[in-house]
Amino acid sequence: MAAPGSTRRTGGLRSLLRRPGPAAVPRPAPGGEELIARLYREYQRPLMSFVLRLTGGDRQWAEDVAQETMIRAWRSADRLDVRTASLMPWLATVARRIVIDDRRHRDVRPPEVGDAPLENLPMADEMDALLRKVVVAEALASLSPAHRQALTETVLRDRTVNQAAEHLGIPVGTVKSRVYYALRALRVALAERGVTS
């Protein structure tokens, strides 16, 4: 990079930005690719060194910031003062603002995490619950109709023994006996199917 006050080679960045006339008002050149190539060639290294310090050595972030800075320079080419010895101070100001904006966005947004923490979270396995229901339904189906009926009234419909007896039209003692033997038979049926309490 040329020192302040020195003259640059002809055909450099200034020639791309210079408009004919006494005021030498900068403007974007018709060949935008050439302009951005020259910006990179002249300022990429010093800009990257500066931005790396701003980003605490985060190279990927620094590359993103440097690229965005060059794009803004290209977009603002018509407003750049080419009479200055270097565009580096302008580029440094733009880069600093981009880093500040990035930090603000990062502080506002919750931190991004990968899938690893989610893999370790305990989750209810719906398949296990479904299989358990199927096994219990099969075990209930293996009971005699009288035993199944006594369990349905007392356990599934949450009725008292007296209410179940009244609903079924049988004595209370019979309901108690059927529930007792139905629960024993159900435990055996579940154990046969690999379900233990």
Side-chain angles (χ1 to χ4, degrees):
M1 188 187 321
S6 67
T7 56
R8 290 184 183 273
R9 63 189 179 277
T10 57
L13 180 62
R14 288 179 179 206
S15 68
L16 283 173
L17 299 176
R18 192 176 303 276
R19 179 186 298 169
V25 178
R27 68 183 174 107
E33 290 82 14
E34 187 179 345
L35 173 63
I36 201 77
R38 294 223 178 154
L39 280 172
Y40 267 105
R41 195 167 37 250
E42 291 185 32
Y43 295 105
Q44 191 266 340
R45 282 189 180 161
L47 181 63
M48 266 304 286
S49 296
F50 175 74
V51 175
L52 272 169
R53 287 192 304 270
L54 289 178
T55 60
D58 185 332
R59 185 154 197 90
Q60 184 176 356
W61 185 14
E63 287 173 359
D64 290 345
V65 170
Q67 182 178 12
E68 179 63 25
T69 302
M70 291 295 185
I71 290 169
R72 290 185 188 185
W74 176 72
R75 288 179 184 158
S76 303
D78 61 335
R79 294 182 306 238
L80 293 176
D81 184 5
V82 294
R83 290 172 291 183
T84 60
S86 172
L87 290 176
M88 191 59 203
W90 185 89
L91 293 170
T93 301
V94 171
R96 187 179 296 113
R97 288 180 183 156
I98 292 169
V99 170
I100 290 168
D101 288 346
D102 284 352
R103 283 199 175 112
R104 285 180 184 153
H105 282 90
R106 289 180 183 187
D107 290 344
V108 170
R109 189 175 60 198
E112 297 175 10
V113 294
D115 293 337
L118 297 177
E119 292 173 0
N120 298 326
L121 285 177
M123 287 181 53
D125 191 353
E126 293 177 18
M127 187 57 79
D128 283 347
L130 178 64
L131 289 174
R132 187 173 293 272
K133 286 179 184 177
V134 168
V135 169
V136 169
E138 284 179 356
L140 278 171
S142 71
L143 300 179
S144 69
H147 288 158
R148 190 170 48 250
Q149 207 173 35
L151 283 182
T152 300
E153 294 300 321
T154 56
V155 177
L156 299 178
R157 293 193 177 140
D158 199 24
R159 291 184 171 153
T160 64
V161 176
N162 290 341
Q163 291 170 334
E166 186 179 327
H167 180 77
L168 293 172
I170 56 175
V172 173
T174 304
V175 172
K176 287 181 180 179
S177 171
R178 286 182 182 173
V179 167
Y180 173 78
Y181 288 109
L183 287 173
R184 282 181 59 183
L186 185 61
R187 280 192 201 97
V188 170
L190 288 171
E192 289 173 353
R193 289 164 175 78
V195 178
T196 56
S197 53

